[in-house]
Amino acid sequence: NTILNIFPNPTHHAVFIDYLAAASGGVSVKVFNALGQSMYSKKTAVVKGKQLLWIDVSDYSDGIYVIQIQDD
């Protein structure tokens, strides 16, 4: 998968992930805080091509987070 864009940054409500899926199938989306703690984890099905995913981050504290997208 190729990340095209993550926006808006910074955000207080939702973050959008615009990326290109190399193939149809399942993907895992995870968010980790600066301490490496899992803040979000979801498996979803995608089709080959451009994808737009969103994550509600309204309950997250201000800080730096890492987003991981992995083919299942």
Side-chain angles (χ1 to χ4, degrees), residues 6-66:
I6 298 174
F7 60 94
N9 184 14
T11 187
H12 296 285
H13 304 290
V15 65
F16 295 89
I17 304 165
D18 182 13
Y19 79 101
L20 188 61
S24 297
V27 296
S28 296
V29 180
K30 298 178 182 180
V31 178
F32 300 93
N33 66 15
L35 300 175
Q37 298 167 320
S38 178
M39 301 294 295
Y40 176 89
S41 181
K42 181 178 181 180
K43 292 185 179 186
T44 190
V46 298
V47 294
K48 182 179 179 179
K50 189 173 180 179
Q51 306 295 314
L52 182 63
L53 306 174
W54 70 276
I55 300 171
D56 180 4
V57 296
S58 59
D59 291 336
Y60 290 22
S61 299
D62 290 350
I64 297 173
Y65 295 88
V66 175

